[in-house]
Amino acid sequence: MTIRLLLVDDHAVVRSGLKMLLANESNMEIVGEAANGAEAVARAGSVRPDVILMDIGLPDMTGIEAARAIKSLHPNVAIVALTIHEDEEYFFNMLDAGASGYVPKRAAPEELLTAIRTAAQGEVYLYPSLAKLLVKDYLSQDRVAENKAVLDDLTSREQEVLTHLADGASNEQIAAALVISPKTVERHRENIMRKLNLHSRAELVRYAIRKGIIKA
């Protein structure tokens, strides 16, 4: 499958560099570019990308605002933030806006390619060291009681499955770790999604980060 990409960055030199990098990937095709948020929203509708590489610091609206607008219009489009911003506020706001990935611009090219492929498959990619740092920084002891109350609706087994799912494990990997069948894992997953009113792996991961289920 060829992954259709839309590049969104207000710096032409950055878009040019991305095009040079991605030109070597036979299963990736750049179908459009945008230099600001409004243009990104319009181009997302006209070129129908699978994945959007989105800068956060755009001149007219932030990448967070653009991501939220695009996801409301095109919920199946995956958005990967590619940004210089590595602080907690931008990280969680971008995830809340619907991003399926977050990669700092200092990352190695291989990390970006992995993020694109992961997002295209409907999964979530978080730059490892950044995610661990931000999750650890975000969690605090005064949220423990709140988190426990929210999770009380889940059985102990469902909480175990949720932890593995949020860490990116497949049904088969979870089944092996918990010594149950993949079908049982799938049933638990459906129950978790229903009880927490979640509809995708991306939403599940964002929920797990917010509630401190993914530990640094």
Side-chain angles (χ1 to χ4, degrees):
M1 181 190 78
T2 299
I3 302 172
R4 296 167 56 83
L5 296 167
L6 173 63
L7 310 182
V8 183
D9 197 293
D10 59 328
H11 294 98
V13 67
V14 173
R15 300 198 305 273
S16 178
L18 288 172
K19 285 189 287 187
M20 291 178 61
L21 168 66
L22 298 170
N24 297 320
E25 302 301 314
S26 59
N27 66 336
M28 296 183 188
E29 176 188 4
I30 297 171
V31 295
E33 300 179 43
N36 57 59
E39 187 178 348
V41 175
R43 295 289 280 166
S46 62
V47 303
R48 297 292 180 178
D50 299 308
V51 178
I52 298 175
L53 295 184
M54 178 78 74
D55 188 18
I56 292 180
L58 299 173
D60 59 338
M61 65 170 70
T62 67
I64 296 166
E65 294 169 329
R68 187 173 288 113
I70 290 169
K71 292 297 287 188
S72 69
L73 295 170
H74 313 288
N76 293 328
V77 175
I79 297 174
V80 174
L82 180 63
T83 175
I84 61 171
H85 298 292
E86 299 186 33
D87 62 276
E88 174 186 320
E89 179 182 0
Y90 286 106
F91 179 74
F92 284 108
N93 285 342
M94 196 65 180
L95 290 179
D96 286 341
S100 296
Y102 200 100
V103 182
K105 287 184 175 178
R106 65 179 175 83
E110 293 76 14
E111 294 283 356
L112 177 59
L113 296 175
T114 298
I116 292 171
R117 296 188 181 100
T118 301
Q121 293 171 356
E123 303 294 337
V124 175
Y125 179 88
L126 306 177
Y127 187 68
S129 62
L130 177 60
K132 289 182 179 180
L133 173 65
L134 292 177
V135 172
K136 180 181 293 184
D137 199 46
Y138 180 79
L139 299 177
S140 62
Q141 288 302 313
D142 61 1
R143 290 189 175 89
V144 172
E146 173 195 345
N147 295 344
K148 185 180 185 303
V150 173
L151 294 174
D152 274 346
D153 286 342
L154 301 184
T155 66
S156 57
R157 178 63 88 185
E158 287 168 350
Q159 291 185 39
E160 288 179 314
V161 172
L162 174 58
T163 300
H164 286 287
L165 284 170
D167 279 333
S170 67
N171 286 357
E172 290 73 19
Q173 290 170 326
I174 297 171
L178 300 180
V179 196
I180 56 179
S181 71
K183 288 186 177 180
T184 300
V185 173
E186 182 60 33
R187 187 170 67 252
H188 285 313
R189 177 173 175 169
E190 290 173 357
N191 288 337
I192 292 166
M193 295 293 193
R194 174 178 53 80
K195 289 180 179 181
L196 300 180
N197 193 28
L198 303 174
H199 307 287
S200 69
R201 173 68 72 90
E203 289 184 2
L204 186 150
V205 171
R206 288 196 294 273
Y207 174 90
I209 291 172
R210 280 292 193 186
K211 298 305 178 184
I213 296 164
I214 299 178
K215 301 296 183 183

